[in-house]
Amino acid sequence: MTASATLRTDTNAMTVDVEDWFQVQGFAGTISRGTWDGLERRVEANTDRILGMFADAGISATFFTLGWVAERHPALVKRIVAAGHELASHGYWHRLAHEQTPADFAEDVGSARKLLEDIGGVSVVGYRAPTFSINTRNPWAFDVLTEQGYRYSSSIYPVRHDLYGVPGAPRFPYRPNGVLLEIPMTTVRAAGRNFPCAGGGYFRLLPYVVYRAALQRFNRRERTAGIFYTHPWEIDAGQPRVAAAPRMAKFRHYLNLSLMPARLTRLLRDFAWNRVDHVFAEALAGRDP
Ligand SMILES: [Zn+2]
């Protein structure tokens, strides 16, 4: 019996990109990597809070964890694994994949995978690029991920956006290099366009019921699982404010943080959720979903 045989028809994949408030791309021009170690780390407490919410809801999820975070919070990594969640990789330094050379990217994703496996004591096969930074400029990234031992990526967002997105990319799992499985972020089709339906900032921007209706429509029309993502800092209304960051970055980062815990709780209740490697087990195994 495959894992998916027991899933509800509205089962979707729940994912968390485990990074701290100062590591997001919108603040990259304001907070340099060299200063990270001097900043207040809130990722462990926030991720523990998410682990508690998932435990209360009785769900399993996938945690795309930054190597930088894992190295400093190994006990957190072990708790993620002990709770039955999937440990996956968000790279080491949260550098955009398309701004790296293939050799630098290999070092970043390879070192993160080894670190996570050593700490977690489990196999790590999933990867999500920071800010969905695999696109038409760097298709070689899929070959590098394959060489570094990854079996799937969830890094393509088939939408039009100023920071990321490949509007014409496939909307459902596919093998861009014939080997690695890419599981694109969920989109809904309307008026000939793809609209984002995978969480992130849009989940905080739109009323909850709008998001819920969109994901329900996706599950019903496409008869397949969607994928949702959030971050530990999104439930942390008390995090330090980065006053010097660009106005748009601050808007996106701080919008409706205080509403998130209740919204996330509703979302966990309104759908069935599971880890990426279980929800997409058949596609990962090479069979048609
Ligand atoms: Zn990230």
Side-chain angles (χ1 to χ4, degrees):
M1 189 178 76
T2 62
S4 60
T6 58
L7 299 179
R8 280 164 50 178
T9 53
D10 63 343
T11 295
N12 294 289
M14 174 57 64
T15 73
V16 182
D17 294 355
V18 182
E19 63 195 33
D20 221 325
W21 59 272
F22 48 81
Q23 295 172 319
V24 301
Q25 183 58 28
F27 297 161
T30 312
I31 303 173
S32 72
R33 286 179 177 76
T35 66
W36 282 1
D37 265 318
L39 299 171
E40 180 193 353
R41 292 209 293 276
R42 301 171 69 92
V43 66
E44 182 154 359
N46 289 332
T47 306
D48 275 335
R49 196 169 163 205
I50 288 176
L51 285 169
M53 294 167 74
F54 289 177
D56 290 345
I59 71 144
S60 298
T62 294
F63 288 73
F64 293 100
T65 306
L66 211 56
W68 191 95
V69 169
E71 200 163 46
R72 287 156 181 79
H73 300 275
L76 174 65
V77 172
K78 292 179 201 291
R79 286 198 293 281
I80 289 170
V81 172
H85 302 295
E86 180 189 9
L87 184 62
S89 165
H90 198 34
Y92 187 92
W93 278 110
H94 210 270
R95 289 188 200 281
L96 297 177
H98 55 66
E99 287 187 351
Q100 299 179 74
T101 64
D104 289 345
F105 181 66
E107 160 63 22
D108 187 87
V109 300
S111 64
R113 179 165 180 263
K114 181 173 189 323
L115 187 64
L116 291 164
E117 290 195 334
D118 287 350
I119 296 169
V122 290
S123 174
V124 169
V125 299
Y127 171 76
R128 173 168 293 143
T131 322
F132 309 113
S133 55
I134 298 179
N135 54 38
T136 52
R137 281 189 281 172
N138 57 337
W140 49 260
F142 293 117
D143 294 331
V144 171
L145 289 170
T146 306
E147 287 158 16
Q148 293 299 322
Y150 292 96
R151 292 184 53 227
Y152 80 84
S153 153
S154 179
S155 306
I156 294 277
Y157 212 149
V159 291
R160 202 174 298 281
H161 185 281
D162 60 329
L163 298 181
Y164 52 78
V166 189
R171 296 174 54 229
F172 304 103
Y174 66 108
R175 295 185 189 275
N177 64 355
V179 185
L180 190 91
L181 186 72
E182 168 62 33
I183 303 169
M185 304 310 289
T186 301
T187 55
V188 287
R189 292 284 293 174
R193 283 184 57 191
N194 296 343
F195 290 89
C197 186
Y202 294 104
F203 185 69
R204 284 180 284 126
L205 176 69
L206 300 170
Y208 172 74
V209 291
V210 172
Y211 180 79
R212 183 177 63 186
L215 185 55
Q216 284 170 338
R217 185 174 112 146
F218 176 86
N219 287 151
R220 198 170 52 239
R221 284 202 177 179
E222 313 293 356
R223 298 180 183 281
T224 189
I227 187 162
F228 181 92
Y229 80 106
T230 187
H231 306 86
W233 52 263
E234 287 192 88
I235 58 159
D236 184 10
Q239 65 190 278
R241 290 295 192 266
V242 184
R247 185 187 300 264
M248 188 59 169
K250 287 192 285 191
F251 172 76
R252 284 174 169 157
H253 190 87
Y254 298 122
L255 181 74
N256 291 337
L257 293 179
S258 60
L259 302 180
M260 265 302 275
R263 250 183 217 193
L264 200 50
T265 300
R266 283 185 77 180
L267 184 72
L268 296 177
R269 191 184 60 210
D270 287 345
F271 295 85
W273 298 96
N274 211 326
R275 343 176 343 162
V276 172
D277 61 344
H278 289 178
V279 172
F280 296 97
E282 293 191 2
L284 270 169
R287 295 188 297 274
D288 290 335

